[in-house]
Amino acid sequence: MNRIEQYIRDIQDFPKNGILFKDIAPLLQDHKGLSACLSELKAMVPDGQIDKVIGIESRGFLFGTMLAKRLQSGFVLARKPGKLPYKTIAQSYALEYGEDAIEMHIDAIQKGDRVLVHDDVLATGGTAQAVCKLVETLGGEVVQCNFIMELKALNGREKLLDYDVQCVLSY
Ligand code: AMP
């Protein structure tokens, strides 16, 4: 068993029937889990400067910020529509039923920035793919998409074939 796995709590039927929610609260609560997870995320990052880490709302903000500090990078918020106060750029993406969108501030990425995209869970990959498109629209380069865990049955990697995708855990 990976040393992180013991800190991931499965919650059946949350937030809806049929969803097995992967809860990282126990991982954050225990300093050994938190430190081990941060070390594993950092170890996956390739050598070379990372200018910005992007955290995807909302659990991606947690380790994303800590990772940025460890990598000596800046940190950028990718948020649901209407949450960011300054001028934004948006990218929509398909859900199983309907559509959603993700936004970043227009000055979040500079041309040529080397960017790492981070979230806690890679599920269908739609959100991370939309964030990668925003990075590229703003002239940045996605160096890696990294996640604490992937839910393999949902094939999120297929939406991220153009990128280096790394996950600490795989379910
Ligand atoms: P995705 O389907 O990859 O676009 O994921 C959408 C968002 O929902 C991401 O921020 C994931 O972290 C989150 N998410 C999706 N499925 C789960 C799950 N089973 N447990 C916890 N978070 C999830």
Side-chain angles (χ1 to χ4, degrees):
M1 192 197 239
N2 179 292
R3 60 186 173 153
I4 312 299
E5 213 170 332
Q6 62 187 303
Y7 298 105
I8 307 296
R9 178 164 57 195
D10 286 355
I11 312 278
Q12 193 64 251
D13 298 323
F14 182 87
K16 288 191 235 172
N17 269 349
I19 306 272
L20 181 65
F21 189 84
K22 295 290 191 183
D23 180 19
I24 61 164
L27 179 65
L28 292 159
Q29 272 164 221
D30 187 309
H31 79 92
K32 286 198 217 97
L34 191 150
S35 300
C37 185
L38 186 56
S39 297
E40 296 215 16
L41 287 169
K42 180 166 182 292
M44 300 188 305
V45 180
D47 289 343
Q49 173 66 28
I50 299 292
D51 298 300
K52 307 275 168 52
V53 175
I54 303 186
I56 300 180
E57 182 164 358
S58 57
R59 289 179 304 279
F61 299 163
L62 302 165
F63 280 99
T65 318
M66 292 188 270
L67 196 51
K69 174 79 172 75
R70 289 278 292 266
L71 294 169
Q72 298 185 292
S73 316
F75 178 75
V76 168
L77 304 153
R79 298 209 66 181
K80 296 279 162 62
K83 303 273 191 184
L84 288 168
Y86 184 56
K87 291 177 207 153
T88 55
I89 177 170
Q91 178 70 50
S92 57
Y93 57 96
L95 297 175
E96 195 179 354
Y97 301 103
E99 202 175 70
D100 208 345
I102 193 94
E103 296 185 349
M104 284 176 3
H105 279 147
I106 51 160
D107 62 354
I109 302 295
Q110 308 304 309
K111 276 204 170 53
D113 271 355
R114 289 169 48 82
V115 176
L116 189 143
V117 174
H118 168 79
D119 202 356
D120 64 336
V121 176
L122 172 61
T124 66
T127 320
Q129 183 188 35
V131 170
C132 291
K133 283 187 191 161
L134 286 179
V135 171
E136 287 165 355
T137 302
L138 291 172
E141 176 199 350
V142 177
V143 173
Q144 183 175 86
C145 297
N146 84 22
F147 303 88
I148 300 171
M149 69 200 99
E150 66 181 317
L151 308 178
K152 283 218 303 221
L154 297 176
N155 293 322
R157 280 177 187 264
E158 278 177 21
K159 290 211 176 66
L160 301 174
L161 289 175
D162 293 341
Y163 308 106
D164 172 29
V165 176
Q166 299 291 332
C167 307
V168 177
L169 302 171
S170 191
Y171 292 98

